[in-house]
Amino acid sequence: MRITILDPTAAPAVVAEADEPAVGSLAGKTVGIRLDRAWRSFEWVADEWTAAFRAAGADVTRWVAGNRIGEEGERTRAELEAFASHVDFAVVGLGN
């Protein structure tokens, strides 16, 4: 007797090359790390990345996002604008 097992997983997506330029050397650059209060364990990851970026010669700025509605939403948008304009690049999540 012969059994055929079907694999229900899809093939991995084909990912095109990113259009963004490479960051290059971190020395002298300002790296932003965006956090929020919803995923507190991400702060441990951010601590590790902060140490690694600083060891590579970068300055690190961390920003905690607030609410997105009402007066606090307006404040969050203004803070995000300031954060984004102050950094050379930012880590804004793990992409999961």
Side-chain angles (χ1 to χ4, degrees):
M1 175 179 243
R2 189 167 229 185
I3 296 174
T4 302
I5 299 174
L6 302 176
D7 182 358
T9 58
V14 177
V15 179
E17 287 289 320
D19 291 335
E20 294 81 17
V23 173
S25 172
L26 297 176
K29 294 207 168 105
T30 300
V31 180
I33 300 178
R34 180 239 186 240
L35 301 142
D36 61 43
R37 296 292 179 220
W39 189 19
R40 300 298 294 262
S41 61
F42 185 67
E43 291 181 25
W44 291 330
V45 174
D47 289 343
E48 295 296 320
W49 285 347
T50 296
F53 287 138
R54 287 185 175 149
D59 291 321
V60 178
T61 298
R62 292 166 73 149
W63 175 67
V64 179
N67 284 332
R68 277 106 173 134
I69 59 172
E71 288 180 21
E72 191 172 345
E74 292 298 321
R75 187 171 46 254
T76 296
R77 279 186 282 287
E79 290 173 359
L80 175 58
E81 179 80 25
F83 171 75
S85 66
H86 177 73
V87 300
D88 294 301
F89 70 95
V91 177
V92 296
L94 293 177
N96 55 356

